[in-house]
Amino acid sequence: METNGGRPTPEQAQSALAEAEHIQASAAALSATPWPNWFFATLTLYIAALPIAYGGVMADEDWLLPRLAWMGIMVAITALYMALLALAAKTWREKTGVALRLDVLPKRATVPFMLGLPVVLVGSAFVFRFTGSPVWLFAASLIGAAASVGFHLAFVRLHRASA
């Protein structure tokens, strides 16, 4: 491989550029890979349980369980979720060399999701408190679970398109 004054030849530069593009495409495909199924299930269950637990905390009176029990449940499921998120991220990074990411999905989908889902999950508890009807909590639970499944399927589709 000859160089011209320490600079690569045009062929070497083209080859290096092609290799860099291939590496970048591989990293993008790995980043778009769906999260591990066990973590997808964990996330979906957490999202589904959150409005119900928060509703129990927000209820005017004890609802099904004492308010302190609901608070304990909420703290426990959040701590468990955070620990499993850290484990999933660490395992995924060790396996693939890239982090679990949401930013590979189109912003037109992720921004409404990131803004809207908390409003639905937390807002349902406030509506439950004022109306006394748990239907709002269960509706929010179903909406949250459906959003989680939808995002997982979007990751699967994106991965297949980039693979």
Side-chain angles (χ1 to χ4, degrees):
M1 289 191 192
E2 287 183 32
T3 59
N4 192 5
R7 293 184 302 186
T9 64
E11 294 81 22
Q12 290 172 325
Q14 234 175 2
S15 174
L17 184 59
E19 187 175 335
E21 288 174 1
H22 174 72
I23 290 169
Q24 189 177 24
S26 295
L30 280 173
S31 295
T33 300
W35 294 356
N37 285 333
W38 67 266
F39 183 70
F40 156 64
T42 300
L43 176 61
T44 302
L45 289 173
Y46 175 70
I47 289 173
L50 192 62
I52 296 165
Y54 196 56
V57 170
M58 293 286 298
D60 278 334
E61 301 172 7
D62 287 347
W63 175 66
L64 301 178
L65 296 171
R67 184 174 291 166
L68 193 56
W70 284 116
M71 185 81 72
I73 289 169
M74 202 159 111
V75 168
I77 64 173
T78 301
L80 179 62
Y81 168 73
M82 291 298 183
L84 290 174
L85 172 62
L87 175 64
K90 180 180 180 285
T91 303
W92 192 251
R93 208 172 21 259
E94 288 172 356
K95 179 180 175 185
T96 65
V98 295
L100 293 173
R101 296 173 48 187
L102 271 177
D103 65 336
V104 294
L105 291 174
K107 288 195 185 340
R108 70 181 186 282
T110 55
V111 170
F113 177 76
M114 295 298 189
L115 296 175
L117 193 59
V119 170
V120 169
L121 297 180
V122 175
S124 65
F126 284 101
V127 175
F128 167 65
R129 181 182 173 109
F130 294 120
T131 65
S133 175
V135 168
W136 297 100
L137 302 175
F138 296 115
S141 181
L142 289 173
I143 290 168
S148 178
V149 170
F151 264 74
H152 181 72
L153 293 176
F155 267 111
V156 169
R157 191 172 340 135
L158 184 61
H159 177 66
R160 285 186 184 145
S162 66

